[in-house]
Amino acid sequence: MRTSIATVCLSGTLEEKMQAAALAGFDGIEVFEQDLVVSPSSPEQLRDMAAELGLSLDMYQPFRDGVEVAPDAFPDSLRRLRAKFELMNRLGTPVLLMCSNVATAALDDDHAIADQLRQAGELAAEYDIKLAYEALAWGKNVNDWRRAHRIVELADHPAVGTCLDSFHILSRGDTVDGVESLDPEKVFFVQLADAPLLKQDILSWSRHHRVFPGEGDFDLVDVLARLHECGYAGPVSLEIFNDAFRQADVHRTAVDGLRSLRWLEDQTADAVRVAGEDPAREPLVLTDLPDPQPPRAWDFVELRTSKLGQTTRLLHQLGFELAGHHRSKDTVQAWTQGPVRMVIAEDLEASLEQPTRLAALGFQVDSPDDAAHRASRLLAPVVSRTQQPDETVLHGVVAPDATEIFFGPHTDSGVPPWLEEFGADPAEATSESLITGVDHVNLAQPWQHYDEAVLFLTSLLDLHAQPAQEVAGPSGLVRSQVMRSADETVRIPLNVAPTAAEQGAYTGAAYPEHVALACADIVAVARRARRRGLTFLPVPENYYEDLVARFDLAPDLVAELREHGLLYDRDEHGEFLHFYTATLGEVFVEVVERRGGYRGFGAPNAPVRLAAQYRTWEEAAGTI
C-alpha cells in the first residue's frame, strides 16, 4: 500500500514537512496550497528536493469553488485552473483536488455541473493532469460522495475522477456502502482521517478535531477493506486538521501518522482475510504486521529516583522486601512482594524538583522477539540498554510520553529469569503476600500527545480504549481514559491534566502518576503500613459524612474506613476500597481491594485525592 500525507497535517515549513515525511517512511505527500505559497523555494527546487528525499508529490490541493458556479463566472474558473496547471507542471504534481462549492454555488443540476467538470477536464488533459472531485461535507449543494461520483460519471472524461475522503463521508453519518463496486479507474485519490464522535457543526469538527486512524471512533477498516475490494491502486493519504498536530514536533507527528497507517493496514488485512479475500491481491496490497503480543502478566514497574532512601522506605512500608542489587548495574535494585516486582534505579543526575518518577513498565509476553519486531514496524524508538552476555534480553521501546516499555518472556511460574540477576531466590519470589498483583498503572499524558498515546498502546500492546470520563480537581478538569487488555490482565488509565492554571499545582508533565497495587485485605495492608510509618494522603472528615449519605453504610464499616484513611465506592457489581500514599516526586502508590465484580477505578473519589494532593503541594510551596 502506497502511503501519503498532506502537508497540512504537520507543523513547520514545507521543507521541514517534506523532510519529516521522508524520514518517517512515507512514499509521498499532498502539497497544501498555502504551504507552497509561503515557501521561499521555487516549485522546481521543491520538485528536486522531493526527488532527493524519495518522495512522490501525489496531489496539489485544494482548488475551491471551481465548478457549480454561474455560467458567466466559469471562464474565470478556467483561467485560475490554467494557472494552477502550469504551476503543477513545474512542481511535478499529477493530481489536483477540486472541492465541491461551499459558498458561491449557483448550479444544483448534476448535468450542468458535469459539463463544467468536463470542460475543466479538457483543460487538465492539455497539461497531463487529473482532477479529483471531492464532495465536502458542508458543500452548499454537493455534499454526498455518491452524488459527486455520479457527476464524475456524467462528465465522462478520462481526466476527471473522484476523491474519497473518510471524514467528509462518515462525519455526515453516511456510510461507504457501494465503494467496493466503484470502477477503480475513476477513483483518483483517497484521503483518510479519523475523529472522535462530537456533537458540533461539521466544519468546526473538521478544522480542529480530526485525528489519525485508530485515534478516533470512525470505522476506517471498513473504508480500506472496500477500497481493497474495488481494486483501488492509488495512494492512501492522511489529511488531518488538528490544533495539537500544528503545534507538535513535526517528526513525531509524521511517525505517528505512518504508525497509524501501518496499524490500519494490518487491521484491514486481518478483516479481509476473515472475509475470505486475499490481502495481498493486486493492486492495493495490504501488508501484515507481526501478530500482536498481548501482555500475559505484569513483569515489573521501574521507578528512577535521586531520593533512594525515601523511595525504598515507601516500599518497605507497603510490605516489599529487597530482593537484591543487580550484579552488573550498581545503581539498580529489585524489591518484591508476592507477584509484584518493583525495580528501583538510582538516578544521580535527576533534579531535586523531580526526584522520583515512573520510568518503565515491563510486560511478560509469549514472544518478546515478535513483540519487538512489531514495535519496530510501528516505528517505536528502541531503548538503548546495556547488558552482559549471560543476562536476560529485554526488548524495550519508548512510548510517546517517554515511558519505557519492555517485553520479557512469560514463564509458567510467573517468575522472570532476569530476577536471578539480583541474586533473588525464585521460591521466595512466589511466596504468599498481602499484595496480590498490579491492579493498574496510571500514566499522565501531555494533552497534545494524548491521541498518539492511545494509538501507541492499542497498536503495540493490543490494549482497548474504554469511554473517557472527566473528574474535577482544584486546577481544572482531568480527562481519564482506561486502556485495557482483553482479559484485563493489564489496565492503564491515561490522564490528561489541565495544561495551565493561575493557581499552579500539578499541570502538564508535573501531574503525578501512580502504581495501584491489588490486595485481598486492605485493612491488613493499611495497618501494617501505618505501623511502619507510612504517610497516607489525608482524607477530610467531610468525605466520610458524605459517604454515609451516598451509600447508607453500616457505622462499623464507616468507622473502619475513617480509622485507616480508606476511601470507598461501589456499583451494581461489587465494592472498591482503596488508599493513597503521599506523593514522592512525580509518583505515588495506591492500594486497592476489589470485592465482587467491581470494574471501575473509584472515579468518584478522584476529586478527594486531587484536592489533597493540591493542598499538600501548596503547603510544600509555602503558599498556604
Side-chain angles (χ1 to χ4, degrees):
M1 185 177 86
R2 290 189 59 241
T3 60
S4 187
I5 185 169
T7 58
V8 73
C9 301
L10 305 169
S11 63
T13 66
L14 179 54
E15 293 79 5
E16 291 170 337
K17 297 179 183 191
M18 293 172 65
Q19 291 171 349
L23 285 172
F26 281 96
D27 299 310
I29 60 171
E30 301 176 45
V31 180
F32 190 63
E33 181 177 59
Q34 182 176 324
D35 286 328
L36 177 65
V37 169
V38 301
S39 172
S41 302
S42 70
E44 291 81 6
Q45 289 173 322
L46 293 169
R47 180 190 62 207
D48 292 344
M49 179 181 175
E52 292 175 3
L53 292 171
L55 286 175
S56 57
L57 300 177
D58 296 324
M59 186 163 74
Y60 187 76
Q61 63 116 330
F63 190 81
R64 303 185 188 279
D65 300 339
V67 293
E68 307 160 49
V69 299
D72 60 350
F74 187 60
D76 188 61
S77 292
L78 294 177
R79 178 194 63 78
R80 292 191 294 123
L81 275 172
R82 185 179 295 277
K84 293 302 178 187
F85 294 153
E86 291 173 353
L87 171 66
M88 291 171 63
N89 279 174
R90 295 170 60 198
L91 189 61
T93 311
V95 180
L96 176 67
L97 177 66
M98 178 172 283
C99 303
S100 64
N101 202 308
V102 299
T104 61
L107 299 182
D108 194 13
D109 177 86
D110 289 0
H111 289 275
I113 299 170
D115 182 63
Q116 291 187 350
L117 263 183
R118 187 182 305 111
Q119 293 182 60
E122 287 288 345
L123 183 60
E126 294 180 18
Y127 293 88
D128 196 24
I129 285 173
K130 292 185 175 182
L131 298 177
Y133 182 50
E134 174 185 60
L136 297 179
W138 50 89
K140 187 171 183 181
N141 294 322
V142 180
N143 49 38
D144 178 315
W145 74 268
R146 293 179 180 84
R147 183 179 182 187
H149 190 70
R150 184 165 60 249
I151 293 171
V152 164
E153 291 179 318
L154 289 172
D156 192 23
H157 193 283
V160 176
T162 297
C163 175
L164 295 174
D165 183 305
S166 64
F167 183 86
H168 290 298
I169 297 170
L170 301 177
S171 64
R172 300 181 69 251
D174 200 353
T175 71
V176 288
D177 293 352
V179 165
E180 69 278 6
S181 301
L182 296 179
D183 177 0
E185 297 299 320
K186 299 304 290 182
V187 180
F188 283 0
F189 211 80
V190 168
Q191 296 173 319
L192 295 182
D194 207 339
L197 294 179
L198 301 174
K199 293 183 178 180
Q200 61 180 224
D201 70 277
I202 295 178
L203 182 57
S204 296
W205 188 13
S206 171
R207 287 289 177 259
H208 302 286
H209 300 290
R210 298 195 202 189
V211 290
F212 289 134
E215 298 177 354
D217 298 313
F218 289 163
D219 186 359
L220 298 187
V221 170
D222 184 42
V223 175
L224 195 57
R226 291 177 188 272
L227 288 164
H228 176 268
E229 186 176 350
C230 94
Y232 172 71
V236 176
S237 187
L238 299 169
E239 188 192 40
I240 313 295
F241 296 85
N242 186 292
D243 297 337
F245 290 6
R246 293 187 182 103
Q247 300 175 54
D249 177 78
V250 62
H251 294 284
R252 71 180 294 167
T253 304
V255 166
D256 186 32
L258 188 60
R259 178 184 298 132
S260 75
L261 284 181
R262 289 188 176 176
W263 173 82
L264 177 63
E265 187 178 5
D266 177 63
Q267 296 293 300
T268 308
D270 289 343
V272 300
R273 188 179 292 108
V274 169
E277 301 175 28
D278 180 6
R281 189 189 68 196
E282 297 288 352
L284 186 62
V285 177
L286 299 172
T287 304
D288 284 320
L289 295 171
D291 288 340
Q293 296 293 310
R296 295 284 301 278
W298 286 92
D299 202 7
F300 64 88
V301 175
E302 179 179 334
L303 303 180
R304 291 183 189 163
T305 181
S306 64
K307 300 289 186 179
L308 183 62
Q310 291 181 6
T311 305
T312 56
R313 185 182 303 117
L314 174 65
L315 294 180
H316 166 72
Q317 291 164 340
L318 290 169
F320 284 83
E321 296 182 355
L322 177 65
H325 296 76
H326 195 273
R327 64 190 181 206
S328 67
K329 299 178 176 65
D330 295 338
T331 59
V332 181
Q333 306 175 7
W335 288 70
T336 62
Q337 183 172 187
V340 181
R341 293 165 289 277
M342 301 289 293
V343 175
I344 308 301
E346 187 174 14
D347 189 348
L348 302 178
E349 298 180 358
S351 68
L352 294 178
E353 290 77 14
Q354 300 175 347
T356 304
R357 61 188 177 90
L358 201 163
L361 304 176
F363 302 99
Q364 293 184 4
V365 298
D366 287 333
S367 175
D369 289 343
D370 286 347
H373 186 199
R374 181 179 176 90
S376 175
R377 290 288 310 281
L378 288 167
L379 309 176
V382 176
V383 174
S384 177
R385 179 176 180 270
T386 59
Q387 63 184 46
Q388 300 300 317
D390 60 342
E391 293 176 355
T392 304
V393 175
L394 292 177
H395 298 289
V397 296
V398 183
D401 65 355
T403 303
E404 296 174 355
I405 305 292
F406 285 93
F407 307 106
H410 180 67
T411 61
D412 292 337
S413 67
V415 180
W418 58 261
L419 197 57
E420 295 182 7
E421 298 166 18
F422 292 84
D425 183 347
E428 294 180 359
T430 57
S431 60
E432 293 186 3
S433 68
L434 289 176
I435 298 297
T436 58
V438 175
D439 186 85
H440 61 276
V441 173
N442 191 303
L443 299 178
Q445 303 297 313
W447 71 271
Q448 65 269 36
H449 300 307
Y450 173 79
D451 294 321
E452 181 185 0
V454 171
L455 174 62
F456 185 89
L457 294 175
T458 299
S459 61
L460 207 70
L461 295 176
D462 200 27
L463 303 187
H464 306 281
Q466 308 302 299
Q469 56 183 319
E470 294 179 333
V471 296
S475 295
L477 291 177
V478 176
R479 180 186 181 193
S480 183
Q481 185 165 28
V482 177
M483 306 293 295
R484 300 177 187 259
S485 59
D487 62 0
E488 300 209 27
T489 296
V490 169
R491 292 174 285 218
I492 303 179
L494 301 178
N495 279 4
V496 182
T499 57
E502 290 185 359
Q503 292 190 188
Y506 299 137
T507 58
Y511 185 82
E513 302 178 318
H514 75 268
V515 180
L517 304 172
C519 74
D521 187 346
I522 195 167
V523 172
V525 176
R527 283 175 176 162
R528 179 182 64 186
R530 195 174 296 279
R531 187 171 62 249
R532 294 185 177 186
L534 178 70
T535 301
F536 286 65
L537 196 69
V539 181
E541 177 59 28
N542 290 337
Y543 170 78
Y544 294 107
E545 294 182 5
D546 181 67
L547 203 60
V548 172
R550 287 169 56 203
F551 293 115
D552 190 25
L553 299 177
D556 289 349
L557 176 57
V558 176
E560 188 174 56
L561 295 173
R562 182 186 288 108
E563 177 186 357
H564 299 293
L566 306 180
L567 297 100
Y568 177 92
D569 189 34
R570 76 178 180 210
D571 60 17
E572 65 272 24
H573 305 294
E575 298 175 297
F576 187 70
L577 285 74
H578 58 137
F579 70 79
Y580 304 104
T581 72
T583 302
L584 183 63
E586 294 182 352
V587 68
F588 63 95
V589 178
E590 177 185 13
V591 178
V592 311
E593 180 187 344
R594 296 177 183 272
R595 297 177 179 177
Y598 184 93
R599 296 183 71 238
F601 296 85
N605 296 328
V608 178
R609 170 179 64 81
L610 291 167
Q613 289 174 332
Y614 176 88
R615 184 173 180 83
T616 301
W617 183 90
E618 293 282 86
E619 289 173 346
T623 57
I624 61 174

